[in-house]
Amino acid sequence: MTYSILLFDLDDTLLDFGKKETESLTDLFQHYGYTYSDDVLQHYKSVNKQLWTDYENGSIPLDVVLNTRFSATLSRLGQDVDGLEWENRYRDLLGGGTHILIDGAMEVCQRLSVTHRLFVITNGITRTQINRLQLTGLHDYFEAIFDSQRIGHQKPSTAFFDYVRHHIPGFEREKALVIGDSLHTDIKGGLQSGIDTCWFNRTSQLNPPSIPSTYTISNLSELIGICGSGSGSGDY
């Protein structure tokens, strides 16, 4: 199959979100006079993961995730804080400073942008994601950025992917490829929308039979072969 439209997830596909998240959370807690420890991290990750899962399942709006995750985390620790104030500070920290690219991201985007049309599809926040792409130098390789905050729907919903399809001129399903690290948002979303998928499995996870991917890669450089002349299905 020859692809002409590539739909890239952003966090942990092109940008190393984990490292930036840890740095931003540490600075955030220190700013408000709290010690950021492994115990605090586990409380935050537990609260944040559940809220994002509820959001991706369509159970709660994005504002609930953003405005309550810090107040809920600190509440577990016996503290009462302004969740919105903390979120705004965190958003500034997350969107600024230095961002680390996943190995091969710059080279792959540079090369593929010459022969393909590249787009970002993300469940992240509009302002934050645009800032991060600009700061890393990736922004100009993409025709457009589709984010759940502006669309009003999130991956893996078909409504999100329908919006993307209808807002890319000349979009053809059979010539598009979804590329991402999340089976439950990127790969499931592509599967439900009839679009081929490439699972970026850089941490050697097991792929459940319920969410098959057209291709599986462990390094972004493998995309060159798939997008240039790849064919068939299964692991690449």
Side-chain angles (χ1 to χ4, degrees), residues 39-58:
D39 183 52
V40 171
L41 174 62
Q42 292 310 311
H43 281 297
Y44 171 77
K45 284 190 173 294
S46 174
V47 169
N48 192 51
K49 181 178 180 180
Q50 185 58 58
L51 286 170
W52 276 102
T53 297
D54 291 344
Y55 167 62
E56 288 165 354
N57 289 337

Side-chain angles (χ1 to χ4, degrees), residues 128-198:
T128 303
Q129 302 299 59
I130 291 174
N131 286 347
R132 296 169 72 212
L133 281 168
Q134 290 174 334
L135 287 169
T136 56
L138 289 178
H139 186 272
D140 291 345
Y141 296 120
F142 294 91
E143 284 190 32
I145 301 167
F146 295 100
D147 65 84
S148 60
Q149 185 178 36
R150 281 192 291 191
I151 292 174
H153 301 283
Q154 62 285 331
K155 299 180 293 182
S157 71
T158 54
F160 178 95
F161 285 91
D162 284 346
Y163 181 97
V164 171
R165 289 193 300 106
H166 294 145
H167 286 79
I168 295 179
F171 186 96
E172 297 179 59
R173 288 182 206 260
E174 64 273 15
K175 293 186 178 181
L177 182 68
V178 173
I179 302 151
D181 70 298
S182 173
L183 286 169
H184 296 282
T185 56
D186 305 313
I187 307 309
K188 182 179 179 180
L191 180 65
Q192 291 178 157
S193 297
I195 304 171
D196 281 1
T197 59
C198 180

Side-chain angles (χ1 to χ4, degrees), residues 20 23-24 27 89-100 127-129 131-132 135-136:
K20 185 62 179 179
E23 174 190 300
S24 300
D27 291 347
R89 177 73 181 181
Y90 174 64
R91 190 60 43 200
D92 288 340
L93 291 167
L94 194 63
T98 302
H99 295 270
I100 301 172
R127 176 171 62 91
T128 303
Q129 302 299 59
N131 286 347
R132 296 169 72 212
L135 287 169
T136 56

Side-chain angles (χ1 to χ4, degrees), residues 204-221:
S204 301
Q205 303 175 58
L206 294 178
N207 187 348
S210 59
I211 312 179
S213 58
T214 314
Y215 307 95
T216 298
I217 61 173
S218 58
N219 190 294
L220 287 176
S221 63

Side-chain angles (χ1 to χ4, degrees), residues 52 62-70 83 87 91 125 149:
W52 276 102
L62 181 59
D63 285 351
V64 172
V65 179
L66 304 182
N67 297 344
T68 64
R69 57 180 170 179
F70 288 109
E87 178 62 34
R91 190 60 43 200
I125 310 306
Q149 185 178 36

